Amino acid sequence: MTYLKSSSMNLSRQEKTWLTWFTSTGKIAMYKSCFLNRHKYSAVEHTFEGIAATRVKILNQWVAHQWDQMEYIAHHINEEHGEVDVRWLNERLIAAPDFSELFVIDVKGEVTASTYYHHVGAGDLPPAAWKKGTQEPFLHGPYIDKLTLDIGPSTSKFHDEVTLMFYQPIVYQGKAIGAVCGRVPNDVLGDLIQREAGHIYPESGDNYIFMVDSHFDPSIKPGTALSRSRFEDNTFSHGENLKSGVTTNWGTVSVDRHTEFEIRFTDPATNQLHPGVRETINKGENLFITYPGYSDYRHIPVIGKGVTFQLKGSPDRWGMMCEGDLEEVYRRRSINLSLMKGFGLTAAVILGVNSSLHYATDFAQSTIDGISLALLLATTLAFPRLSTNRLASRLDEMTEVIRTIAEGEGNLRQRISTDRLVADETGDMARWINSFIDSLDGIVGQVITSSDNVKHTNEAMLHTNREACQVSTEVSDAIEDILNLLKEQITEIGQASSTAEALKEAMDTVVSEARQQYESVRTGTEDIRNIVETSATKVHSLHSRTVEVGKIIGVISEITNQTNLLALNAAIEAARAGEHGRGFSVVAEEVRGLAQRTATSANEIQQMIEGIQQETRSAVSFMESGVQDVDRSLKKTEQSSAENANLHSLVEHMFLAIKQLNENSKRHEEAAQRVGVSAQQMNGSISTLQERSSSVKNTAHKLNQLVSVFQVSVH
């Protein structure tokens, strides 16, 4: 026998011997079925391992895709400086149909924008969840949120208030400003693992998720249901279901509103975690497919594979069981056995009739041989109708389904009817064909959807490329115009630079000559100032002399007045003397006359001296004013010289600025030329991109034509 990883399981004695003896799932029936199908153990083991691995892969891929959507939305909002366009958010909701709501929260957990208008302004998120979600990507749930029920379903036909919430932080300029949140009804997750045609054991196969280690909400116990069971109602169950209740000898197992959180996967007989879940939690995975199986939460013998896993963004560890009822898995009987039974029955009939004719009749041997030959012909004709025709009919039905797909009709909606399946190799083949078609149906359906998206995206890209090509051409033309203007400006600036150079040289000459003239004027002005100052000093000295002469004239006037007085006194005395003083009287008269003339002359001299003094005072004042004018002229000349120096400095700066402008213009010309080359390259790249977009359009059109021949269940 091929080595099996599932040949043993850590079961207690009670768990190994719990089956009854004579029921359809009792020890005798189950041991017989397992023994007859022991050569299929390896195939069953690979089947359950493949189912579990595929489902975990599907879950991880789905979660990764949702995170890609969330990261894209957060990046877009970040590029828009934290602004949220609700219309664009609704477009993203259409592009990510598994979400029932996309919304944005701030750092206080308040909803600032949402695709569900009534949610804006609310602060109804669990504080621990939104605080964690604004710091790092966080997957919260499953948890119960009534708003999920109010908003309505997304892609699952089942719907309740159990929710998965994606939190993607929005970081702007290195600081968290909130988070993008994506609401997914938890039943979407359940649909991923409950793909019906993927149940090779359609009557009993169940894939369900349970809690292994809850870090975020420690109140959720290990083994608690996290996904909806396919046995919740009569949609998938051929017997009792969890809504109406599964009856056991230890009570009824049932749910009220939804499977999640309402049941814990325990064995009703022990009220402890049933062995499959228990061993999966303890070992991280578990596989058991041989007799006697183990008791599940319905107290039915099952076999299967258990795995544990952790989804991106979730701090919790989950488990998943992929199980099938032991009875259904090993119900099958080989075609060899049925054909052998038919052949043995036919041979027995012929042998019995032949023996009966020999021993119970007196027919001749030739007659018996004829009857036996006729019976052989009859059974040969009846055998296909009773045995191989049914097998051939089932094979024909499977062949027809495969043929219609192979010939290009592409009807992936068709399935082999499960009502006519027989528990043999043909039944196995039919179920695997249905599973293959279902997988292909899902894949092609996604390809068709992706093809339509590619078509629409490519059309939008082509339109954008045409606009970009037009804009690029306009930019290229504008850059070319700018280059021409720059060339003209550079020429003008070059001319201005040459003119400025000539102006600088002329200004240098003017300044040099002005400086020489200033020095000459300053020297002459200084001489004039010195002469004027000297003249003023001399005139001032002359004025002083005239004052002294005036004083002398004053003394002479006083002497004249005194002489005149003495002459008068002498005349008086001569008159007294009579004849003896007549001669003295004449002398006194003369002296008096001389004194009067002297007084008159002194008075005239005094007036002349006063006139001279007034003139000298005017001359001194005029000369002093002239000296002040000369000083002011010197100062103005100095200021003019300083202004000329400032003007020269300004011209120097202007020349340096023009020279720098000329150099900058040359660099700008080089940069503009590089920009022009880049614009031409961009134009060429956009043209190439447009050509490739056209090629993609043709490819997408061809892909659309190819996939359009398929008819899928969901498009």
Side-chain angles (χ1 to χ4, degrees):
M1 182 185 293
T2 305
Y3 172 75
L4 299 177
K5 292 189 290 184
S6 59
S7 58
S8 64
M9 185 174 177
N10 186 23
L11 299 175
S12 66
R13 181 178 179 85
Q14 180 183 1
E15 290 171 342
K16 290 180 180 178
T17 59
W18 66 282
L19 291 177
T20 58
W21 283 95
F22 301 106
T23 62
S24 60
T25 58
K27 294 180 180 180
I28 296 176
M30 291 298 94
Y31 183 80
K32 176 184 176 183
S33 294
C34 290
F35 179 78
L36 291 176
N37 289 282
R38 63 190 182 280
H39 63 285
K40 295 293 293 180
Y41 280 167
S42 180
V44 172
E45 187 177 73
H46 283 97
T47 296
F48 279 109
E49 283 195 314
I51 292 172
T54 301
R55 295 302 183 272
V56 172
K57 182 179 179 180
I58 289 173
L59 290 175
N60 282 314
Q61 288 178 338
W62 179 83
V63 170
H65 178 67
Q66 308 314 313
W67 279 124
D68 289 342
Q69 297 285 343
M70 299 297 292
E71 290 172 5
Y72 173 72
I73 296 171
H75 180 70
H76 176 83
I77 294 175
N78 184 30
E79 286 187 338
E80 296 297 322
H81 309 295
E83 296 294 329
V84 182
D85 184 352
V86 178
R87 184 175 59 181
W88 181 84
L89 204 61
N90 277 286
E91 292 176 358
R92 297 315 309 164
L93 183 65
I94 295 173
D98 287 335
F99 290 107
S100 62
E101 180 193 15
L102 290 173
F103 60 97
V104 178
I105 61 173
D106 58 20
V107 292
K108 296 181 179 179
E110 183 175 329
V111 179
T112 59
S114 174
T115 55
Y116 184 64
Y117 175 76
H118 300 290
H119 197 200
V120 176
D124 54 351
L125 297 172
W130 67 255
K131 287 178 182 178
K132 187 176 180 65
T134 54
Q135 300 300 319
E136 61 183 2
F138 174 50
L139 175 58
H140 180 208
Y143 71 101
I144 294 176
D145 186 350
K146 185 178 181 300
L147 186 59
T148 300
L149 188 64
D150 296 337
I151 292 174
S154 56
T155 57
S156 177
K157 59 184 177 181
F158 294 102
H159 187 59
D160 54 40
E161 63 266 37
V162 182
T163 307
L164 285 173
M165 189 70 74
F166 290 79
Y167 291 88
Q168 177 66 43
I170 302 173
V171 179
Y172 180 64
Q173 295 182 345
K175 182 180 179 181
I177 60 173
V180 179
C181 305
R183 182 189 303 272
V184 179
N186 189 60
D187 287 311
V188 173
L189 202 68
D191 287 350
L192 294 174
I193 63 173
Q194 297 290 9
R195 183 174 61 86
E196 281 314 301
H199 289 284
I200 303 304
Y201 310 107
E203 295 179 17
S204 63
D206 193 16
N207 305 324
Y208 55 89
I209 299 173
F210 56 91
M211 179 60 73
V212 172
D213 190 6
S214 180
H215 291 279
F216 187 75
D217 184 3
S219 65
I220 303 177
K221 296 181 180 180
T224 300
L226 299 181
S227 68
R228 187 183 295 270
S229 170
R230 69 195 298 264
F231 298 121
E232 181 174 335
D233 54 31
N234 291 325
T235 304
F236 305 115
S237 178
H238 297 285
E240 294 181 321
N241 60 70
L242 290 172
K243 281 285 187 177
S244 60
V246 177
T247 303
T248 72
N249 293 334
W250 297 270
T252 301
V253 181
S254 64
V255 294
D256 180 22
R257 302 178 65 187
H258 43 69
T259 308
E260 302 101 317
F261 305 119
E262 288 195 43
I263 62 173
R264 190 165 177 250
F265 295 113
T266 59
D267 183 349
T270 63
N271 287 324
Q272 300 298 318
L273 291 175
H274 76 64
V277 170
R278 182 191 69 215
E279 295 303 306
T280 298
I281 293 175
N282 291 340
K283 298 189 297 184
E285 64 175 342
N286 183 70
L287 177 64
F288 191 64
I289 55 94
T290 58
Y291 177 84
Y294 55 86
S295 173
D296 74 346
Y297 64 97
R298 300 167 296 162
H299 202 70
I300 296 173
V302 296
I303 57 174
K305 171 79 173 184
V307 293
T308 60
F309 58 94
Q310 190 167 6
L311 298 177
K312 179 181 178 182
S314 174
D316 303 330
R317 189 157 189 83
W318 297 355
M320 179 172 64
M321 297 301 300
C322 302
E323 295 174 333
D325 290 355
L326 184 67
E327 184 274 330
E328 183 183 7
V329 174
Y330 294 119
R331 180 190 301 167
R332 68 184 297 281
R333 299 292 183 265
S334 174
I335 293 175
N336 289 332
L337 183 60
S338 63
L339 291 178
M340 184 179 65
K341 287 180 178 179
F343 180 77
L345 179 62
T346 301
V349 169
I350 295 173
L351 179 62
V353 171
N354 188 276
S355 298
S356 298
L357 291 174
H358 272 289
Y359 295 108
T361 67
D362 295 330
F363 293 155
Q365 183 64 41
S366 58
T367 303
I368 294 174
D369 290 341
I371 293 173
S372 298
L373 180 61
L375 183 60
L376 178 63
L377 291 174
T379 54
T380 300
L381 294 175
F383 185 77
R385 182 182 297 275
L386 299 175
S387 179
T388 57
N389 279 357
R390 296 177 181 177
L391 174 62
S393 176
R394 296 197 297 272
L395 292 175
D396 285 341
E397 183 180 358
M398 290 183 280
T399 302
E400 180 65 19
V401 171
I402 295 175
R403 182 191 64 79
T404 55
I405 296 175
E407 287 183 350
E409 293 183 14
N411 184 7
L412 298 179
R413 298 173 184 172
Q414 60 181 335
R415 300 289 186 274
I416 298 172
S417 175
T418 57
D419 296 336
R420 299 177 56 191
L421 295 184
V422 179
D424 58 14
E425 286 83 350
T426 61
D428 292 344
M429 182 180 292
R431 284 190 291 270
W432 283 114
I433 289 174
N434 280 346
S435 180
F436 168 73
I437 295 175
D438 187 74
S439 297
L440 187 61
D441 183 20
I443 293 171
V444 173
Q446 293 177 12
V447 170
I448 291 175
T449 302
S450 300
S451 175
D452 289 339
N453 292 336
V454 168
K455 179 182 177 182
H456 296 148
T457 303
N458 186 71
E459 289 176 352
M461 186 171 66
L462 276 173
H463 179 69
T464 303
N465 284 343
R466 283 193 292 269
E467 292 180 348
C469 186
Q470 182 179 355
V471 171
S472 176
T473 303
E474 293 174 356
V475 169
S476 181
D477 293 340
I479 290 175
E480 187 175 355
D481 293 340
I482 291 172
L483 278 173
N484 294 331
L485 290 174
L486 278 175
K487 289 178 181 178
E488 294 177 2
Q489 290 178 357
I490 288 169
T491 301
E492 293 174 357
I493 291 172
Q495 293 174 354
S497 180
S498 300
T499 304
E501 183 70 31
L503 177 62
K504 181 177 178 297
E505 293 176 358
M507 192 66 190
D508 288 341
T509 303
V510 170
V511 169
S512 178
E513 292 177 354
R515 284 177 177 172
Q516 292 175 359
Q517 291 176 2
Y518 164 71
E519 288 296 330
S520 177
V521 171
R522 189 176 66 82
T523 301
T525 305
E526 285 289 340
D527 293 340
I528 293 170
R529 185 177 184 279
N530 293 335
I531 292 171
V532 172
E533 284 184 350
T534 303
S535 297
T537 301
K538 289 181 179 181
V539 171
H540 189 69
S541 177
L542 177 62
H543 175 71
S544 298
R545 294 291 183 182
T546 55
V547 172
E548 292 177 358
V549 171
K551 291 179 179 180
I552 295 171
I553 295 299
V555 173
I556 293 173
S557 295
E558 290 179 359
I559 292 173
T560 302
N561 291 333
Q562 192 68 30
T563 301
N564 193 25
L565 181 62
L566 290 174
L568 180 60
N569 289 333
I572 293 171
E573 291 296 329
R576 283 182 184 174
E579 285 295 331
H580 296 289
R582 183 176 296 175
F584 187 73
S585 174
V586 173
V587 173
E589 187 67 29
E590 288 296 328
V591 170
R592 183 181 178 190
L594 178 61
Q596 287 179 347
R597 286 195 300 272
T598 299
T600 301
S601 297
N603 188 34
E604 290 176 355
I605 291 170
Q606 180 69 31
Q607 290 178 354
M608 290 175 64
I609 288 173
E610 289 177 354
I612 290 170
Q613 287 178 339
Q614 184 176 358
E615 291 295 330
T616 56
R617 282 195 296 271
S618 298
V620 169
S621 177
F622 178 75
M623 287 181 180
E624 289 176 349
S625 176
V627 169
Q628 292 176 356
D629 290 340
V630 169
D631 287 339
R632 282 194 295 270
S633 297
L634 281 173
K635 290 180 180 178
K636 289 182 177 179
T637 304
E638 290 176 355
Q639 291 175 356
S640 298
S641 177
E643 290 174 356
N644 289 336
N646 292 335
L647 178 60
H648 182 263
S649 178
L650 290 174
V651 171
E652 287 279 355
H653 287 304
M654 181 181 71
F655 172 73
L656 292 175
I658 292 175
K659 188 175 181 181
Q660 186 67 37
L661 180 62
N662 189 23
E663 293 176 356
N664 292 341
S665 297
K666 291 179 180 178
R667 287 197 296 269
H668 292 164
E669 181 185 19
E670 294 174 357
Q673 288 175 348
R674 289 196 298 270
V675 171
V677 172
S678 299
Q680 291 177 354
Q681 292 175 348
M682 182 179 69
N683 201 9
S685 299
I686 290 178
S687 298
T688 303
L689 180 61
Q690 191 169 13
E691 292 175 0
R692 292 179 180 175
S693 297
S694 299
S695 177
V696 171
K697 178 183 177 181
N698 295 333
T699 303
H701 182 66
K702 183 177 180 180
L703 175 63
N704 199 25
Q705 288 179 331
L706 290 174
V707 298
S708 64
V709 302
F710 291 101
Q711 301 175 32
V712 295
S713 300
V714 179
H715 184 190

